[in-house]
Amino acid sequence: MELRNWAGNIRFSADRVHHPESVGQVQEIVRESQQVHVLGSRHSFNTIADSTGDLMSLDRLEPVLEVDAQRRQITIDGAVTYGRLAPRVCEAGFALHNTASLPHITVSGACATATHGSGSRNSILASRVAAIEIVTADGAVRTLSRADDGDRFAGAVVGLGGLGVVTRLTLDVSPTFDMYQVVYENLPLAQVEEHFEAIMSSGYSVSLFSDWRESRFNQAWIKTVATSADAVSAAPTFYGATLATTDMHPLPTLDPTTCTPQMGVVGPWHERLPHFRAEFEPSYGEELQSEYFVPRAQAPAALRAIASMRGEVAPLLQMSEVRTIAADDLWMSPFYRRDCAALHFTWRYDWDGVKQLLPRIEGRLAPFDARPHWGKLFTMPAATLQSRYERLPDFRALLESFDAKGKFRNSFLETYVFG
Ligand SMILES: Cc1cc2nc3c(=O)[nH]c(=O)nc-3n(C[C@H](O)[C@H](O)[C@H](O)COP(=O)(O)OP(=O)(O)OC[C@H]3O[C@@H](n4cnc5c(N)ncnc54)[C@H](O)[C@@H]3O)c2cc1C
């Protein structure tokens, strides 16, 4: 049967997909395979999860959720999605510090690609990984931890699927908290350029959405930690934008019932941090995505650069989103030692058109040393991308030390890491 990624734009090359039910079976499959790669929930838009050898899905792996309340850590299996995990973490009295816009992705896949949410003080989801259990190329089970493996651990967490099969992760958690979100409409671009830091720090997590048809953001979503259970009435205006009077979808023509509740209504963190509800299939059918990360201080200039290409961008665009992410120490994270702003594009399903436009966007963002999202579409040459990752040589050596024969390598890794 033909296997594709979530968006349908990538057809996986492997003939065989294994579905191990235990770590022992994972070890056996790895030992017997010449070439293998792990699939998460297949939400990446490029070939990062592909393999011409075998593929392995962990969707039948025994679920694990161990809570260590004293250490404020949880240990989970390598297959769980945020949508399945988050309510159980909340029930246990804890919270994850942040989530992506979509809860349907796996924790392992999100960590492997440096997936992020928003929040000027929130680092990527992988930054809370305290330990990983990996089945390596020789079929052995190894555990790496922040406490014992120091810098090598920082190299392994955003692993791009190249180190082996992550079968368990231990994550730091915090005490559970409640949140509310409000949406403002029609935020002028000039205000964002002038007050970028203040606007993006006005909540725990802030997202700005623009279709780039005009010099404005159609919506600003502001997610705030609640101090009481009462619904909050927000100020009627925000830097020239107006408070929405009903729940919104980032794409204004779509039904907001698939989105997490807004209008200042207080609820648990996992029902406010993602934009989309776990119980609905999100988004607008077919779409493609790209995202570039620039140093936060240069965000206003980067936004001006995109605004100057509005005429080219808008016709191919469904919606663009701007977020902020705090720096971390993970070697292959685009946020390595760099506070960033993220410029995201949800494109119409037109790869021919998008493929022509991306080099132009990448050219405009080159002065900012823009790094692309590992799981989305980009066109920059491998050499350019590599020049923007100072720890890439160390990562290459780490992969070689784990997997000398390249069992977990695929064409994506050959191109962008080893090419
Ligand atoms: C609608 C939509 C919304 C999105 N929103 C966001 C967002 O808000 N923020 C953001 O940063 N990104 C976002 N993304 C991108 C997404 O988070 C990444 O593509 C992420 O990697 C998807 O996780 P996955 O489980 O689908 O992994 P896959 O795409 O299946 O795999 C990605 C990589 O992870 C590796 N991997 C997966 N599981 C394991 C494992 N157990 N062991 C070893 N390697 C493994 C794979 O081998 C592959 O290299 C979004 C994508 C979509 C489709």
Side-chain angles (χ1 to χ4, degrees), residues 6 37-45 48-49 58 78 100-102 105-106 108-110 112-117 160-161 164-167 282-283 287 289 291 323 373 375-376:
W6 175 84
H37 211 80
V38 192
L39 290 173
S41 56
R42 294 179 281 117
H43 280 78
S44 295
F45 290 85
I48 191 167
L58 303 184
S101 63
L102 184 76
I105 56 175
T106 68
S108 299
T113 59
T115 287
H116 61 91
L160 312 181
V165 186
V166 175
T167 44
S283 268
E287 66 182 56
Q289 296 187 8
E291 190 167 34
R323 290 178 274 186
H373 192 304
K376 301 185 183 179

Side-chain angles (χ1 to χ4, degrees), residues 115-136:
T115 287
H116 61 91
S118 192
S120 293
R121 280 189 267 161
N122 294 330
S123 45
I124 57 172
L125 312 183
S127 66
R128 292 302 192 274
V129 178
I132 42 178
E133 177 189 271
I134 310 185
V135 175
T136 50

Side-chain angles (χ1 to χ4, degrees), residues 4 7 51 54 83 128 133 139 164 174 192 231 257 263 278 285 312 314 322 324 326 372 379 387 389 394 396 399 407:
R4 288 183 176 264
S51 171
D54 288 354
R128 292 302 192 274
E133 177 189 271
S174 24
V192 177
T257 51
M263 306 282 292
E312 293 170 79
V322 173
T324 46
T379 53
S387 70
Y389 280 88
D394 297 326
R396 211 180 275 145
L399 290 191
K407 193 176 266 191

Side-chain angles (χ1 to χ4, degrees), residues 22-73:
S22 65
V23 174
Q25 288 181 11
V26 172
Q27 292 178 273
E28 249 171 70
I29 294 163
V30 170
R31 274 193 205 107
E32 283 165 18
S33 299
Q34 297 298 313
Q35 203 77 40
V36 62
H37 211 80
V38 192
L39 290 173
S41 56
R42 294 179 281 117
H43 280 78
S44 295
F45 290 85
N46 57 34
T47 55
I48 191 167
D50 197 14
S51 171
T52 48
D54 288 354
L55 282 168
M56 187 189 303
S57 166
L58 303 184
D59 55 359
R60 294 185 202 151
L61 203 65
E62 301 150 52
V64 175
L65 174 58
E66 293 164 7
V67 179
D68 184 336
Q70 210 144 32
R71 288 184 174 208
R72 286 201 189 155
Q73 287 185 332

Side-chain angles (χ1 to χ4, degrees), residues 403-415:
D403 181 15
K405 293 193 180 139
K407 193 176 266 191
F408 288 100
R409 281 192 216 168
N410 58 12
S411 67
F412 185 93
L413 290 172
E414 291 292 358
T415 306

Side-chain angles (χ1 to χ4, degrees), residues 5-6 18-19 55 88 102 107 139 150 155 213 236 239-240 244 273 282 304 314 319 321 324 340 382 385 387 396 408:
N5 64 340
W6 175 84
H18 300 276
H19 296 270
L55 282 168
R88 296 164 67 204
L102 184 76
V107 177
R213 289 185 187 280
Y239 293 93
L273 277 173
R304 266 194 298 280
M319 193 51 77
E321 181 177 5
T324 46
C340 284
L385 186 145
S387 70
R396 211 180 275 145
F408 288 100

